[in-house]
Amino acid sequence: MSSAAKIAFVTVLCLFVGPEWSIAQETTPQTRGEIPAVTSFDALLQSATQDLEASAADSGAMANMALARVAFSSTDPAIQVTGIPLAEKAAELGAVEANLLLGDIYRRGGYGAAPDLVRAKAYLEAAFKDGSLQAAVALGTLYFDSDFTPEGRKRGLELLTAAANEGSVEAANALANVYLQGKGVPIDTSKALHYFGVGLVSNSNNSIVALGDVLRGGAANLQPNPQVAMEFFERASKQGDLGAGRRIADMHLRGEAVTQSVPQAIAMLTDLAQKGDANSYIALGDIFTRGEFVATDGARAIEYFKSAQALGNTTGMIRLAELYINGLPGTPVDIGQAMDLYASAAELGNTSAKRALGRAFLTGQFGTTDPRRAIALLEDAARLGDGQAAKDLAVLYATNDPFPANYDEVKTYLDLALAVGNTGAALEVASAIATGPLARTHREDARLLLNGAMDGGVPGAAATLARLQLDGAFPAEGVGGVISMLNNAAKSGDNDSARFLIGLYRDGYGLLLPPDPAAANDFLNSVAASIGPEATTVERIHLEALKNEDVDTLASVSEQISTLSKASAIQVLDILRRKNARAYVYVLQQGLSSRGQYSGPLSGTLDATTIRAFNAVCSALNAERACAPGPLTRGALLTLGNYVLQPAT
């Protein structure tokens, strides 16, 4: 039975239960003797639909709402859009559910309506006034994500607190995240745990998993505790939470709280996948694509991504497209197939595919540029609630490319991005305004936007503002004022600002600030607990790259890289490639030596023996083209780095 049929069937049952449930009774009361005989399902469905349409025409709130849901349940966009006026009519007639539904639609976009902050707030406010706790949660979150003023933050906090005090677990979880991340309030891990505890007492899987995530990774003034995190995930998993099951598998994959066992992790994910969890198929495909824990295997990755696709998960199609763009050993690049997959996913409504195609047609990634088609795809994705596509459009309108800069359009698309929770869009858009053709007329708007984002706890806002001040885009109280601002942001838990300040001390900033590695090291020590062990190691290696190139230093750098995730290790190799080529070569020599593919000394010297070993690996991986420009180029880095950092077979 289709969703529409189910809705209509349930509605018609309500019609015939008794007078108190009859929608049609508002205008045409029936006596029990007039109830028609039920001859078939189709006949009953037809009768229900006719009764609803008649009642809707007579201004019945319930009937309009029911018909709106029938329209929204359709897979035909032309039918979906007819639900908006029906829901709006129901809202006019006082249906709280209609206000809540329309608020969510205008908040995120969909059913033919683009995100609209003003309408979203109006409908959610109406639902909240009628007592909807769901509206309070949605509205409070919307204020935090889109209104960086003190009044907006205050209103968001009031709404979420009021709903939490009324017993809303969803509101309590939202408040917990506000205090955990410092979104417009000081970071307070104790308060975050208190509010997550509301859901814990209520046995909410969302709260249990969220607490597990906090315990697994740690938080401000709270050290990681993977053992206890595992208990939380196991509890939620036993209660049917698939995400918790995937987290348990990932901990086995990485050896957190348990002895590392890649086979067991794969077996766990396979079991979840075979039970119908498409995201587990995605996770399996990622394991064999990225090569962090097993050797890359394009054939197996393709099989898993196709299995996810078969379950209706369009992310599987996106992953396949990405695989064909980047290629893997044994799986050559196939741009045509990648484009077909993106196009198919886009037709099915996947906004990530629309955005990827739009970006590709802007940049010529697939061999041709088509700005008009690119913009149409990005606009379509933005209307469907894709915050990244909305951000892209705002930046394009701020930079005068490929069309004239237009601040009104910038503001429109920035509001769309913020409405769906993409708070980071404020940073990119403000930078584009401050450094582009709109700077002359709207520089102050950009500065206020960044200040609001910084006060609202948006990660990286202080670092973005600092960079623009140092470059002269905004006035600042000298280098000392910039450093003071970054220090304050770092102390409040903004790790992006902390790392930016480490880099500022380490590298200096032109003529404004000379490098001071000792200050960088001291500041790193002071924020190490906050930014976490992985980021701390990356920064320590970065500092090592400024030192001399003796063998002990090279060995120390190589040892530290071995403790990092593959993604971080590649990032560090890229730094070394540019700042300490000898350390970069040393790490590759050591990795190839452990695989029996390099027999020379571990010296970091790019001699003939080393070059021959590098070329042999590039040839074996069918990556001669990527490596051809030279061993110190990014193509060689990605080929050789990915090879030496994946598990030996």
Side-chain angles (χ1 to χ4, degrees):
M1 188 188 303
S2 70
S3 297
K6 288 179 181 177
I7 292 168
F9 180 63
V10 171
T11 305
V12 80
L13 288 180
C14 293
L15 285 171
F16 291 108
V17 166
E20 67 273 21
W21 289 95
S22 176
I23 297 170
Q25 184 175 319
E26 295 179 13
T27 53
T28 55
Q30 291 182 337
T31 66
R32 292 186 182 275
E34 295 173 333
I35 296 177
V38 178
T39 58
S40 69
F41 174 84
D42 288 339
L44 191 57
L45 177 59
Q46 182 179 4
S47 175
T49 303
Q50 290 171 348
D51 282 340
L52 283 173
E53 290 172 345
S55 183
D58 291 328
S59 302
M62 189 184 299
N64 277 285
M65 193 63 235
L67 288 172
R69 288 202 174 279
V70 170
F72 293 149
S73 69
S74 172
T75 57
D76 185 347
I79 295 176
Q80 289 178 354
V81 298
T82 66
I84 298 291
L86 288 165
E88 288 177 338
K89 183 66 175 178
E92 288 175 15
L93 295 168
V96 177
E97 186 182 9
N99 281 312
L100 181 62
L101 179 61
L102 286 164
D104 191 60
I105 288 173
Y106 283 115
R107 178 187 174 198
R108 303 179 185 280
Y111 306 122
D116 186 322
L117 280 173
V118 175
R119 286 188 176 185
K121 286 180 179 177
Y123 280 116
L124 290 173
E125 286 281 11
F128 174 63
K129 287 177 182 177
D130 285 328
S132 170
L133 294 183
Q134 284 180 275
V137 177
L139 191 56
T141 303
L142 184 57
Y143 271 106
F144 271 114
D145 287 343
S146 64
D147 190 338
F148 298 140
T149 64
E151 295 77 18
R153 296 194 298 274
K154 180 182 178 182
R155 179 64 173 150
L157 195 61
E158 287 173 348
L159 287 160
L160 292 179
T161 303
N165 289 341
E166 289 292 326
S168 168
V169 171
E170 188 181 3
N173 286 342
L175 268 177
N177 282 311
V178 164
Y179 284 107
L180 191 67
Q181 300 165 21
K183 294 179 68 172
V185 298
I187 288 178
D188 191 328
T189 303
S190 294
K191 282 189 176 181
L193 294 176
H194 165 75
Y195 282 112
F196 279 136
V198 173
L200 182 64
V201 171
S202 302
N203 201 33
S204 161
N205 273 350
N206 287 340
S207 301
I208 294 170
V209 172
L211 278 166
D213 287 337
V214 172
L215 292 164
R216 182 183 181 187
N221 301 314
L222 181 69
Q223 291 297 313
N225 193 332
Q227 287 77 16
V228 178
M230 180 70 85
E231 291 181 29
F232 278 76
F233 294 146
E234 288 174 341
R235 172 71 65 92
S237 179
K238 287 177 182 176
Q239 295 178 171
D241 192 284
L242 296 175
R246 291 193 298 274
R247 284 167 169 81
I248 293 170
D250 191 64
M251 291 180 77
H252 281 273
L253 188 69
R254 300 175 189 280
E256 298 177 24
V258 293
T259 301
Q260 183 179 31
S261 175
V262 175
Q264 186 170 354
I266 291 174
M268 289 177 170
L269 289 171
T270 301
D271 182 59
L272 288 169
Q274 290 175 346
K275 290 177 180 177
D277 181 31
N279 287 322
S280 288
Y281 278 125
I282 299 294
L284 286 164
D286 287 343
I287 288 173
F288 287 97
T289 299
R290 294 169 182 167
E292 185 175 353
F293 302 100
V294 298
T296 53
D297 189 331
R300 289 190 72 174
I302 289 171
E303 177 186 345
Y304 287 129
F305 292 147
K306 285 185 175 179
S307 295
Q309 179 184 346
L311 291 175
N313 186 308
T314 51
T315 301
M317 302 169 75
I318 302 296
R319 287 291 205 278
L320 280 170
E322 292 169 349
L323 190 154
Y324 286 122
I325 289 171
N326 299 316
L328 281 177
T331 308
V333 170
D334 189 334
I335 297 299
Q337 195 158 352
M339 287 188 68
D340 288 344
L341 284 161
Y342 275 136
S344 297
E347 287 176 6
L348 293 172
N350 186 294
T351 59
S352 295
K354 293 176 186 288
R355 175 176 13 102
L357 280 173
R359 288 175 174 176
F361 285 122
L362 275 176
T363 62
Q365 180 184 5
F366 297 151
T368 182
T369 57
D370 189 339
R372 288 185 178 276
R373 187 175 178 188
I375 298 305
L377 285 161
L378 289 173
E379 287 177 340
D380 194 24
R383 280 194 298 269
L384 292 172
D386 189 299
Q388 289 294 329
K391 181 267 299 178
D392 285 357
L393 287 164
V395 170
L396 289 171
Y397 275 109
T399 54
N400 209 38
D401 181 29
F403 31 54
N406 184 317
Y407 183 73
D408 289 338
E409 294 287 356
V410 171
K411 191 70 170 59
T412 295
Y413 285 111
L414 174 60
D415 283 347
L416 294 188
L418 296 178
V420 294
N422 184 13
T423 54
L427 312 188
E428 287 192 54
V429 174
S431 296
I433 294 171
T435 59
L438 294 174
R440 185 175 61 84
T441 53
H442 293 283
R443 189 188 308 274
E444 182 62 10
D445 292 308
R447 188 185 69 81
L448 291 173
L449 178 59
L450 279 176
N451 276 325
M454 185 170 65
D455 293 340
V458 177
T464 302
L465 184 56
R467 186 179 295 108
L468 290 168
Q469 287 177 333
L470 290 169
D471 289 341
F474 296 134
E477 297 177 4
V479 174
V482 170
I483 290 176
S484 177
M485 178 183 70
L486 291 169
N487 251 310
N488 291 334
K491 287 176 182 176
S492 69
D494 186 344
N495 291 336
D496 289 336
S497 293
R499 297 187 71 177
F500 183 80
L501 185 51
I502 293 168
L504 201 58
Y505 282 131
R506 181 189 63 232
D507 302 327
Y509 209 88
L511 299 176
L512 295 175
L513 183 70
D516 190 344
N521 189 64
D522 289 343
F523 185 70
L524 174 58
N525 289 335
S526 72
V527 297
S530 174
I531 68 175
E534 181 107 339
T536 298
T537 300
V538 170
E539 296 297 342
R540 291 205 188 285
I541 295 172
H542 205 162
L543 280 167
E544 289 275 349
L546 297 178
K547 295 182 179 179
N548 58 47
E549 299 179 349
D550 61 79
V551 174
D552 289 342
T553 299
L554 301 183
S556 171
V557 167
S558 185
E559 175 61 28
Q560 290 179 79
I561 287 177
S562 69
T563 68
L564 296 173
S565 68
K566 186 177 180 183
S568 292
I570 289 290
Q571 174 193 346
V572 168
L573 278 177
D574 199 21
I575 293 169
L576 295 177
R577 174 179 69 90
R578 292 176 281 112
K579 295 200 171 188
N580 189 334
R582 192 173 175 196
Y584 166 76
V585 172
Y586 183 97
V587 173
L588 295 180
Q589 285 176 335
Q590 190 172 64
L592 294 179
S593 177
S594 68
R595 288 163 171 72
Q597 291 171 307
Y598 172 72
S599 56
L602 300 179
S603 61
T605 302
L606 195 59
D607 54 22
T609 302
T610 302
I611 292 173
R612 280 196 298 272
F614 286 2
N615 288 340
V617 171
C618 290
S619 178
L621 296 175
N622 296 316
E624 295 98 329
R625 186 174 179 180
C627 297
L632 296 180
T633 60
R634 183 160 177 80
L637 156 72
L638 294 176
T639 300
L640 297 168
N642 276 300
Y643 178 73
V644 302
L645 291 170
Q646 73 180 12
T649 55

